Amino acid sequence: MSAPFLYRAWVAASMVLVPFATFVESKKLRRAGVSVVRAHEKIGHATEPREDGVPLVWFHAASVGESLSVLALIARIGVHLPQAQFLITSGTATSAKLLASRLPPRCVHQFAPFDAPGPLRRFLKHWHPDAAVFVESEIWPQMLRRTHATGAKLAMVNARLSERSMESWRKRPKLAAYLLDVFSLILTQNDKMAQGMVNMHAPAERVARGINLKSMAGPLPVDEDALFEARAATGHRPVWVASSTHEGEEQAVLAAHKTLLETHPDLCLILAPRHPERGNDVMNLIAGAGLSLTRRTRGDMPGGQVFLADTIGELGLWYDLADIVFLGGSLKPIGGHNPFEVAQSGACVLSGPHVAAFAETYAEMETLGAARFVADGADLAAKVDHLLRDDAARAKSCTAARDFIDGQTDLLDGVATRLITALELTS
C-alpha cells in the first residue's frame, strides 16, 4: 500500500516541527522534575539497555490512565513469556512518576519519541521491538508505519476514540486505511467502538471487542505507614472522598459538605483535585466557604472539616479511609473518570451524569448497586447523607463494588493469550 499524500505531508511537517517540539516538551518535563538526560528520550535517545537475544514487547500509552491500565496485562503476558523484556512508553512526567513504583518484572519505562523521522529512527534502532501494542487512541502515523516496517507485529488494545476523532478519520479514508492496516489485531472496549473502527477502514477481520483494561489496572498503591498515620488522625470520624474534581466542581462539593455538616458535625471531606497544581485555588475555595482545612502538601494528615489532598500518587491511601467516594469530571461535561480504582478499594462510587468515557462501565456498576448517579451538589449531599445513615445500604454498595471487580479479572487471561497469538510471540 503506497503512502497517501497526507502521510507524506505529515512526515515533511514533522521534520520542521521537531526543534520546536523538543524545546517545548523539554521545558515542560524539566519543570516537572525530569532530568535533562531523560528528557532526551523524547528525541529517541534511550536511557535503559535493551537485552540481547530476548523478545521485546513495546507498549505505548498516552498518559497516566492509559499507562496504568496495561500493567496487569504486561504482567500476565510475562507469565506466558518468562524470557521476554517489556518496554512501556508514555508522554507525561506524571505517568513516569506513577509507573516508576508499579512496573511489572522485566519492564522499563521511557518517554515516547516524537512522531518524526530522526527520533523514531534512533528509538527503533536501539529497541528494535518484536511486537508493539498501542493503547486506546494512540494513532501516530510515523510511529505506526515505521515500527511496522521493521517487521514487528502491531496490535491496538482498549481502542477508544471520540466520535469527533472518528469522524475526522472517516473524512481521510486513504490515510486511515494506510495506518490501521498495520495492526494484526484491534481490540476495542465495546461493540460500538468495534464497528466504529471498521467504519474508519480498519480491516474488519482483525477487529474484535476486548475488555476495558482500566478494570485490570490493579489497586492503587498504598503506603502502609502513611495509612496507619492517617487512620490515627481521623480516629472515629466519618470520612468521604471527592476525587479527580475539576474547576467548577469543587464549589458544588463544598456546598454539599456544608449541608452534611449540619447533621454530621464531625464529618471529614478529603478533597483531591484532578490536577494537584490547582491546590492553591482549591484552598482558597475551601477558605471562602468558611470551612477549616488541613493540606497534604504541608505535610498534614486528614483534619479539620476538609483535607486538601493535593499530591500525586496517594489516591489509594485516601480511598482506603472511606466507603464513599465521589468521582469528579462528571458534574461538568468532561466525560468522567476511572471508577475501577475506587471499586478496587471496596468503596461505593458516586458520580455526576457526565460519564461518556465510561458509560458502559457505570451502567453495569449502577445495575449491580456499586455506583450511584447524582444530579448536582444538592443531590450529592442527599446521597452521601443516606449512605452515612444507612450502614446496611453502604455495606451492600461496597460489597457490590468488590463483586464487580472480581467479575472482570477472569477476562484478562483471554486477552493476553489472544495478543500473544496475534503478535506471533513465543517464549
Side-chain angles (χ1 to χ4, degrees):
M1 186 181 296
S2 61
F5 170 76
L6 285 176
Y7 177 82
R8 297 196 303 272
W10 170 240
V11 172
S14 70
M15 296 171 70
V16 176
L17 293 171
V18 160
F20 302 98
T22 301
F23 175 78
V24 172
E25 283 296 306
S26 294
K27 190 175 180 180
K28 185 189 300 182
L29 291 174
R30 294 290 291 124
R31 280 201 306 266
V34 176
S35 69
V36 173
V37 173
R38 287 222 60 192
H40 284 175
E41 293 167 9
K42 299 288 288 185
I43 53 175
H45 293 295
T47 58
E48 293 283 350
R50 201 274 197 217
E51 291 185 34
D52 293 329
V54 300
L56 182 132
V57 186
W58 168 30
F59 283 77
H60 174 62
S63 57
V64 176
E66 293 79 5
S67 300
L68 295 177
S69 73
V70 295
L71 294 183
L73 178 58
I74 293 173
R76 196 62 60 93
I77 292 175
V79 172
H80 294 280
L81 304 174
Q83 304 303 317
Q85 182 184 9
F86 298 92
L87 167 69
I88 183 167
T89 58
S90 63
T92 66
T94 301
S95 62
K97 189 178 298 184
L98 292 179
L99 285 168
S101 61
R102 302 184 65 182
L103 289 174
R106 309 190 310 280
C107 183
V108 297
H109 173 268
Q110 299 277 274
F111 288 108
F114 293 122
D115 195 51
L120 284 167
R121 273 197 300 267
R122 287 187 285 270
F123 177 88
L124 292 170
K125 182 179 180 181
H126 176 83
W127 292 106
H128 49 91
D130 296 270
V133 181
F134 293 80
V135 185
E136 291 207 9
S137 56
E138 289 300 281
I139 304 177
W140 289 100
Q142 295 181 77
M143 191 177 288
L144 295 179
R145 291 302 309 192
R146 288 176 181 273
T147 303
H148 182 257
T150 68
K153 297 291 184 180
L154 277 68
M156 176 177 278
V157 298
N158 229 34
R160 180 179 68 86
L161 281 77
S162 68
E163 185 56 45
R164 184 176 178 180
S165 293
M166 288 192 291
E167 179 61 29
S168 178
W169 283 110
R170 285 194 290 268
K171 291 177 180 178
R172 299 163 178 82
K174 290 183 180 179
L175 180 61
Y178 181 67
L179 298 180
L180 296 177
D181 185 61
V182 305
F183 292 114
S184 298
L185 177 66
I186 298 174
L187 292 178
T188 67
Q189 291 187 10
N190 52 49
D191 291 331
K192 180 180 179 181
M193 185 53 59
Q195 186 58 53
M197 296 301 291
V198 173
N199 293 343
M200 282 171 54
H201 304 283
E205 70 278 7
R206 303 181 216 162
V207 177
R209 176 178 178 171
I211 60 174
N212 191 329
L213 290 175
K214 288 182 177 176
S215 66
M216 303 288 110
L220 293 172
V222 175
D223 183 318
E224 292 299 328
D225 291 335
L227 179 60
F228 179 84
E229 189 179 350
R231 283 178 173 159
T234 54
H236 296 292
R237 294 181 65 187
V239 177
W240 72 294
V241 174
S243 72
S244 295
T245 56
H246 289 252
E247 185 175 357
E249 293 185 316
E250 286 92 4
Q251 293 91 331
V253 170
L254 293 171
H257 189 58
K258 289 188 75 171
T259 299
L260 289 163
L261 287 171
E262 295 173 5
T263 49
H264 307 275
D266 59 344
L267 181 64
C268 177
L269 165 65
I270 297 177
L271 179 55
R274 178 69 173 180
H275 303 289
E277 62 270 19
R278 293 184 54 242
N280 286 337
D281 293 336
V282 177
M283 181 182 69
N284 292 334
L285 289 174
I286 297 168
L291 296 167
S292 62
L293 71 105
T294 55
R295 186 174 180 180
R296 184 57 173 160
T297 50
R298 295 194 305 222
D300 299 336
M301 278 293 176
Q305 294 167 317
V306 181
F307 175 61
L308 177 55
D310 54 343
T311 55
I312 292 174
E314 292 193 303
L315 268 182
L317 175 60
W318 316 131
Y319 288 165
D320 263 21
L321 293 177
D323 288 337
I324 305 168
V325 176
F326 166 74
L327 269 178
S330 58
L331 288 176
K332 297 288 184 179
I334 294 167
H337 290 300
N338 185 359
F340 296 111
E341 294 173 345
V342 181
Q344 282 164 336
S345 75
C348 173
V349 179
L350 298 177
S351 173
H354 302 289
V355 292
F358 294 92
E360 291 185 341
T361 301
Y362 274 103
E364 183 179 352
M365 291 180 71
E366 186 184 31
T367 299
L368 294 172
R372 304 181 185 204
F373 287 111
V374 300
D376 50 29
D379 192 25
L380 175 61
K383 293 288 199 315
V384 174
D385 179 63
H386 169 69
L387 290 168
L388 288 171
R389 291 176 182 275
D390 192 332
D391 293 342
R394 188 173 70 254
K396 185 176 180 181
S397 293
C398 292
T399 299
R402 293 189 185 94
D403 290 345
F404 169 74
I405 291 298
D406 289 343
Q408 306 297 307
T409 55
D410 295 338
L411 303 173
L412 189 59
D413 245 338
V415 173
T417 301
R418 194 165 191 172
L419 276 175
I420 289 169
T421 300
L423 299 174
E424 299 180 10
L425 295 167
T426 57
S427 58

